[in-house]
Amino acid sequence: MKSSFFIKDSEKFVGKEVIVKGWIYNKRSSGSIHFLQVRDGSGFIQATVVKSEVNPEVFAAADKVTLESSVEVIGLLREDKRAPDGYELTVKDLKIIQLADEFPIGKKEHGPDFLLSNRHLWLRSKRQWAILRIRNEMIRGINEFLQKNDFVRVDSPIITPSACEGTTTLFEIDYFGEKAYLSQSGQLYLEASIASVGRCYDFGPVLRAEKSKTRRHLTEFWMMDAEAAFVDFEGILKIEEDLIYYVIEHVLSTCEKELKIIERDASPLKSFKTPFPRMTYKEAVKLLNTLGSDIELGSDFGNDDETILMNHFKTPVFVTHYPADVKAFYVKRDSEDETYALSSDLLAPEGYGEVIGGGEREWDYNTLVSEIKKRKIDMKDYEWYLDLRKYGSVPHSGFGVGLERLVAWICKLPHVRETIPFPRMLERFSP
Ligand code: 4AD
Ligand code: MG
């Protein structure tokens, strides 16, 4: 009886006959032997077809089978240290399910534009496979950490009447004749939900009409917003660093093989300790000036500033106390100097920059109203939000993790376009 089988479980099936259902991802032949590299989604294995050991039709099928054809292979599973993935299948039978046309993505180098246009096919490459799996484990790690720490998942809407992060990057939609926007972050809804469940989070796609063409910006990306009642600025930084530490440990313990495939040297990820170092925005500007940036006190960091600063560090760093004016209307100002906010960004090392934005929220009704007026924001869009400061308002804090930024750093990818299955960017929304 042939056992049902996934390649990842090869270890347990040595010496047994198995059926592999998958795709041909590579092929090499030497006249009387075909070496087929087969992948089934769970892993990769070499399937060897020896002319003298199989029926002529089976050998003919192996001869004919093209890259990315779907196949069903029956064979004897053997351990083989010389095989690329440690195991080998001695083929007895090979069925072609669909003989693939010539696959457009070959061995030669392709430019990013070509690959992105063929993203639906590019996803099958070993490297993209590994990134998808690491992304999956990161999602699992984030959920696990939050659930263990009493955060209740409360999902936020995508269609919203008002902006969370300023109006410059809002995507507007026509909602049956009314103006509506696509959510930039679920934060405001989580601030409502903490009064129900205390601590909560959401995890889903958010949208920003980012006109910047950088290696860090997508127009659709996944955000995990978390919010906690009765937690102050110090408290939220602690939760953020514990979360990041947890996720990295989780990836290191579950994705060793995948990290190797993408040639990510894991040693820099093994060297962090919590608490992560901190510096204030003012200290960061000073340091940036000595590192060659011409940033002036009062302005937000540009892309290059983040790169320069974080090429300087080998560990994630919190930058705290940004000028309140460069942050959103909801930030709580620092009582020691009201020009600055109790806000922080967590910046990732190796040049990556911001992966989390967060801080303490203004929870006093009058202060919030005067901030909204000062910024000339239309009060009526935020009436429901202001209600939260009228009915049992409490000190609270939260943060938002940009999943793709985190994946880019953990995988050390040159661009966020490889961190999400189907990237949306300034000049691309297909496939
Ligand atoms: O810093 P941001 O704008 O913060 C917020 O939206 C808060 N409301 C979150 C909160 O406190 N609940 O965005 C949070 C994170 C950033 O640190 C970054 O990692 C990521 O989202 N991010 C992007 N990722 C990819 N492409 C973009 N265009 C991004 N913009 C922000
Ligand atoms: Mg930010």
Side-chain angles (χ1 to χ4, degrees):
M1 174 65 189
K2 294 166 209 86
S3 339
S4 97
F5 162 81
F6 288 110
I7 292 170
K8 71 174 170 58
D9 302 322
S10 291
E11 201 184 349
K12 292 179 240 154
F13 287 79
V14 173
K16 298 209 169 100
E17 191 168 292
V18 296
I19 306 179
V20 179
K21 295 178 185 183
W23 298 264
I24 302 290
Y25 98 97
N26 218 337
K27 184 179 169 180
R28 187 163 59 82
S29 302
S30 73
S32 58
I33 307 181
H34 290 299
F35 300 98
L36 309 176
Q37 310 296 330
V38 184
R39 55 179 188 83
D40 72 347
S42 82
F44 298 76
I45 195 165
Q46 174 161 285
T48 309
V49 190
V50 183
K51 193 171 189 174
S52 59
E53 292 175 9
V54 293
N55 290 333
E57 313 85 75
V58 172
F59 196 76
D63 200 41
K64 172 170 96 167
V65 74
T66 49
L67 296 192
E68 291 307 323
S69 290
S70 44
V71 293
E72 195 177 300
V73 188
I74 299 177
L76 182 71
L77 190 87
R78 296 185 304 125
E79 199 162 7
D80 187 343
K81 293 275 178 278
R82 294 162 308 166
D85 295 284
Y87 298 92
E88 198 187 58
L89 210 57
T90 305
V91 175
K92 293 196 169 156
D93 197 8
L94 166 69
K95 260 193 231 113
I96 298 175
I97 298 168
Q98 191 259 325
L99 186 68
D101 289 1
E102 192 183 338
F103 200 62
I105 301 177
K107 284 233 180 69
K108 73 173 172 75
E109 285 277 311
H110 296 289
D113 216 50
F114 176 85
L115 289 170
L116 286 168
S117 294
N118 286 286
R119 183 65 173 164
H120 52 299
L121 304 176
W122 183 27
L123 279 181
R124 303 175 185 199
S125 78
K126 203 168 188 174
R127 179 180 161 86
Q128 300 306 315
W129 172 86
I131 295 169
L132 285 179
R133 290 175 64 93
I134 295 170
R135 178 185 165 101
N136 175 58
E137 288 307 330
M138 289 174 61
I139 294 170
R140 193 201 306 274
I142 291 170
N143 276 300
E144 252 177 37
F145 174 88
L146 291 165
Q147 296 285 346
K148 279 185 190 166
N149 285 279
D150 302 313
F151 283 80
V152 176
R153 182 161 172 162
V154 172
D155 289 319
S156 309
I158 288 187
I159 300 171
T160 68
S162 45
C164 180
E165 295 300 318
T167 50
T168 53
T169 62
L170 272 181
F171 275 117
E172 192 179 307
I173 58 165
D174 171 17
Y175 194 76
F176 306 111
E178 268 191 86
K179 245 191 223 175
Y181 306 101
L182 299 177
S183 176
Q184 299 163 307
S185 156
Q187 180 193 321
L188 307 187
Y189 295 96
L190 293 189
E191 287 186 66
S193 307
I194 54 166
S196 171
V197 294
R199 292 173 163 212
C200 56
Y201 73 105
D202 65 17
F203 206 158
V206 292
L207 294 111
R208 296 192 188 181
E210 298 274 9
K211 304 239 166 53
S212 28
K213 233 174 132 177
T214 78
R215 65 190 178 97
R216 298 193 170 99
H217 286 92
L218 294 162
T219 53
E220 179 179 317
F221 61 96
W222 277 60
M223 171 111 78
M224 189 287 297
D225 296 283
E227 201 71 26
F230 303 108
V231 168
D232 64 6
F233 189 58
E234 278 299 316
I236 207 69
L237 294 189
K238 170 95 173 72
I239 293 172
E240 289 176 40
E241 66 197 359
D242 287 349
L243 166 69
I244 295 303
Y245 190 81
Y246 185 94
V247 172
I248 290 173
E249 289 281 289
H250 178 76
V251 169
L252 290 174
S253 69
T254 53
C255 299
E256 199 184 342
K257 185 175 64 191
E258 288 82 357
L259 291 167
K260 216 173 258 162
I261 289 172
I262 61 173
E263 295 174 337
R264 171 42 151 151
D265 171 12
S267 50
L269 297 174
K270 290 177 182 159
S271 61
F272 314 136
K273 282 191 204 66
T274 56
F276 295 153
R278 296 180 192 184
M279 65 177 124
T280 63
Y281 162 85
K282 279 196 249 180
E283 289 165 342
V285 168
K286 240 187 228 157
L287 176 58
L288 271 167
N289 290 151
T290 69
L291 294 172
S293 158
D294 56 6
I295 186 172
E296 286 170 14
L297 216 57
S299 14
D300 203 358
F301 297 156
N303 252 295
D304 294 343
D305 297 316
E306 285 185 31
T307 306
I308 294 171
L309 190 63
M310 294 319 289
N311 273 330
H312 186 73
F313 286 99
K314 295 204 162 25
T315 157
V317 175
F318 280 116
V319 176
T320 65
H321 300 84
Y322 282 84
D325 290 341
V326 308
K327 295 290 178 188
F329 71 95
Y330 52 69
V331 296
K332 186 163 173 58
R333 288 173 186 259
D334 181 9
S335 58
E336 288 181 17
D337 181 351
E338 300 244 320
T339 20
Y340 293 94
L342 295 179
S343 72
S344 85
D345 284 353
L346 182 69
L347 308 186
E350 301 180 81
Y352 278 90
E354 181 185 349
V355 290
I356 303 185
E360 195 167 330
R361 322 303 190 187
E362 181 51 65
W363 59 282
D364 174 65
Y365 179 82
N366 292 323
T367 314
L368 196 54
V369 166
S370 74
E371 188 65 36
I372 288 177
K373 282 190 180 146
K374 207 171 89 196
R375 294 185 187 228
K376 301 197 169 58
I377 297 171
D378 194 348
M379 192 87 78
K380 84 170 179 347
D381 294 338
Y382 295 89
E383 267 164 17
W384 70 270
Y385 182 70
L386 286 163
D387 271 354
L388 307 174
R389 273 67 178 168
K390 286 200 246 171
Y391 304 106
S393 190
V394 297
H396 64 284
S397 304
F399 62 95
V401 178
L403 177 65
E404 289 73 18
R405 298 262 184 99
L406 203 57
V407 175
W409 163 44
I410 302 285
C411 295
K412 204 169 180 184
L413 304 176
H415 197 293
V416 283
R417 65 185 166 225
E418 277 183 278
T419 62
I420 184 163
F422 294 96
R424 270 80 183 97
M425 295 174 291
L426 185 57
E427 281 158 354
R428 176 175 295 280
F429 60 93
S430 83

